[in-house]
């Protein structure tokens, strides 16, 4: 029978040790990698947070004594227990504030490094949002409007959403006001072909001729409405029984693009000759002009707009 020499035995033992150490290191890297994928929240917390990878280790040392001993446990068993503790709803409630739903954990991760003094806004307002859009959200969007000129302005800008987003529109708001006579319906309704062509050819305004004609035609419709109802404001708020719809949406996905009330208003306006006033555009107009309060309940502006909405209605 062949017997290995003592020298060869030593070599084999050293090889087996090196292979074992290599496998252990690979296993450690593998589980560490997937640990980061499964629960990256711990890696994104700031130093001021009480939850970190070190706290996971602390949790393990405090809760795992009954499950296994340190001497007899393998690396795989330890990591499995760690993942089990992390995945447990009870463990999540320990570290995530109860005021923030589990569905918003990704938003929580995104906001870890945000300024503590920054007010909480609707989730579509992010760090990358343009300042003009944030200002619009903070000062105008959702505030009940009763002035005919401002209502006409919001109606016109809401129609522009077919071609541009709010940020692009708001950046050119002063140009629109200058071109359309501060959105005075009486003056806009008198615009002729020359004025329409000049506005449409203005590259800074960037409005197609059909859009310009639409705004002029809507001004003419507003004049007719004023003769019948006394003001454009009375006409619009009459659909709302003179008080805004106060919604209490918690998530942005709950905010609708259109509503039954918007469909009713849209049909009536179309019968009266208004253009580009489909249910989606009308609902955007209602949101901007405060006919419906669609700020999320967690947004600091929700309470402000509700307070304004609950005051006795009066036409200005």
């Amino acid at each position: 029978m062949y017997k290995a020499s003592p020298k060869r035995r030593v070599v084999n033992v050293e090889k087996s040790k090196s292979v074992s150490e290599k496998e252990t290191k690979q296993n450690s890297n593998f589980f560490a990698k997937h640990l980061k994928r499964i629960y990256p929240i711990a890696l994104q917390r700031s130093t001021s947070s009480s939850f970190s990878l070190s706290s996971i280790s602390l949790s393990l040392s405090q809760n795992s004594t009954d499950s296994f001993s340190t001497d007899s446990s393998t690396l795989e068993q330890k990591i499995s227990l760690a993942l089990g503790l992390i995945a447990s709803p009870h463990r999540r409630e320990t570290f995530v504030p109860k005021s923030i739903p589990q569905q918003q954990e990704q938003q929580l991760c995104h906001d870890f490094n945000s300024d503590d003094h920054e007010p909480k806004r609707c989730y579509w307002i992010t760090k990358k949002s343009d300042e003009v859009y944030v200002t619009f959200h903070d000062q105008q969007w959702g505030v009940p409007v009763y002035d005919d000129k401002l209502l006409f302005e919001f109606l016109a800008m809401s129609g522009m959403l077919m071609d541009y987003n709010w940020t692009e529109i708001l950046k050119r708001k002063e140009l629109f006001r200058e071109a359309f006579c501060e959105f005075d319906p009486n003056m806009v309704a008198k615009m002729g072909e020359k004025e329409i062509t000049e506005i449409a050819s203005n590259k800074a305004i960037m409005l197609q001729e059909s859009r310009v004609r639409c705004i002029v035609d809507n001004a003419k419709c507003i004049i007719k409405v004023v003769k019948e109802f006394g003001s454009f404001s009375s006409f619009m708020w009459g659909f709302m029984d003179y008080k805004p719809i106060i919604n209490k949406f918690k998530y942005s996905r709950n905010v609708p693009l259109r509503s039954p009330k918007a469909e009713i208003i849209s049909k009536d306006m179309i019968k009266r000759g208004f253009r580009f006033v489909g249910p989606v555009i009308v609902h955007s107009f209602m949101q901007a002009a405060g006919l419906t309060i669609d700020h999320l309940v967690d947004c600091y502006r929700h309470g402000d707009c509700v307070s304004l909405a609950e005051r006795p209605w009066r036409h200005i």
Side-chain angles (χ1 to χ4, degrees):
M1 182 182 226
Y2 173 76
K3 294 183 179 180
S5 65
K7 184 176 181 180
R8 181 169 295 180
R9 285 184 207 161
V10 173
V11 172
N12 290 337
V13 169
E14 291 178 351
K15 285 184 178 180
S16 62
K17 286 182 177 180
S18 63
V19 171
S20 177
E21 291 175 356
K22 185 176 181 180
E23 290 177 349
T24 302
K25 186 176 181 180
Q26 289 177 346
N27 289 334
S28 177
N29 292 335
F30 172 81
F31 284 103
K33 178 180 179 182
H34 287 274
L35 178 62
K36 293 178 182 179
R37 288 183 179 178
I38 294 172
Y39 211 72
I41 188 171
L43 304 178
Q44 299 181 21
R45 291 243 184 184
S46 61
T47 55
S48 61
S49 174
S50 61
F51 183 37
S52 62
L53 286 178
S54 60
S55 66
I56 295 180
S57 302
L58 180 61
S59 299
L60 280 173
S61 63
Q62 291 175 343
N63 296 283
S64 61
T65 54
D66 295 335
S67 301
F68 58 87
S69 64
T70 306
D71 297 334
S72 61
S73 299
T74 64
L75 177 62
E76 292 84 352
Q77 289 174 325
K78 293 179 181 179
I79 298 298
S80 297
L81 178 61
L83 297 179
L85 289 171
I86 293 169
S88 170
H90 174 71
R91 300 302 299 176
R92 288 192 181 186
E93 291 178 1
T94 303
F95 302 112
V96 180
K98 291 185 178 180
S99 60
I100 302 177
Q102 293 182 2
Q103 293 89 338
Q104 299 178 27
E105 288 180 2
Q106 292 183 349
Q107 182 69 28
L108 176 65
C109 296
H110 177 74
D111 290 339
F112 274 156
N113 297 322
S114 63
D115 187 356
D116 294 336
H117 301 291
E118 193 74 13
K120 189 170 184 180
R121 297 182 173 90
C122 298
Y123 291 148
W124 51 84
I125 301 294
T126 67
K127 292 181 179 179
K128 296 181 180 180
S129 296
D130 193 281
E131 184 178 353
V132 69
Y133 185 47
V134 178
T135 301
F136 177 62
H137 168 275
D138 291 355
Q139 298 180 7
Q140 290 186 297
W141 197 77
V143 175
V145 175
Y146 305 106
D147 180 71
D148 279 9
K149 291 182 181 180
L150 191 52
L151 285 170
F152 181 30
E153 178 180 307
F154 278 142
L155 180 63
M157 291 196 298
S158 297
M160 297 175 193
L161 291 171
M162 296 182 65
D163 303 310
Y164 305 104
N165 58 44
W166 271 119
T167 300
E168 294 169 330
I169 294 169
L170 293 169
K171 285 184 175 181
R172 302 198 296 275
K173 182 173 67 175
E174 293 304 322
L175 293 175
F176 297 143
R177 286 179 174 177
E178 183 180 353
F180 294 104
C181 309
E182 301 296 324
F183 286 97
D184 184 335
N186 294 297
M187 297 184 68
V188 175
K190 296 177 182 178
M191 286 185 174
E193 290 297 322
K194 182 180 178 181
E195 290 86 354
I196 292 174
T197 303
E198 287 179 356
I199 295 173
S201 61
N202 190 329
K203 294 183 179 180
I205 294 179
M206 297 175 62
L207 276 182
Q208 298 177 14
E209 185 176 323
S210 60
R211 299 290 189 266
V212 178
R213 291 186 182 279
C214 167
I215 294 174
V216 174
D217 290 344
N218 285 348
K220 296 176 181 179
C221 292
I222 289 176
I223 292 177
K224 294 179 182 179
V225 165
V226 171
K227 291 179 179 179
E228 183 178 350
F229 294 90
S231 67
F232 184 45
S233 176
S234 297
F235 169 70
M236 293 305 309
W237 283 100
F239 288 104
M240 313 303 298
D241 196 21
Y242 304 102
K243 55 186 178 182
I245 296 174
I246 301 175
N247 292 310
K248 296 181 179 179
F249 299 123
K250 199 166 188 178
Y251 307 110
S252 56
R253 64 175 179 270
N254 300 137
V255 181
L257 292 175
R258 57 196 293 170
S259 63
K261 183 67 70 174
E263 292 178 359
I264 294 173
I265 297 175
S266 173
K267 289 180 180 179
D268 190 278
M269 294 183 76
I270 291 173
K271 288 180 181 179
R272 295 177 182 275
F274 284 88
R275 300 174 57 196
F276 290 102
V277 287
V280 175
I281 290 178
V282 169
H283 188 71
S284 296
F285 163 71
M286 293 171 62
Q287 291 174 321
L291 279 78
T292 179
I293 309 300
D294 277 357
H295 282 282
L296 300 183
V297 291
D298 291 334
C299 175
Y300 86 101
R301 286 295 293 164
H302 183 273
D304 295 342
C305 291
V306 168
S307 297
L308 293 171
E310 291 178 342
R311 68 183 180 180
W313 180 89
R314 59 189 179 90
H315 174 65
I316 300 176

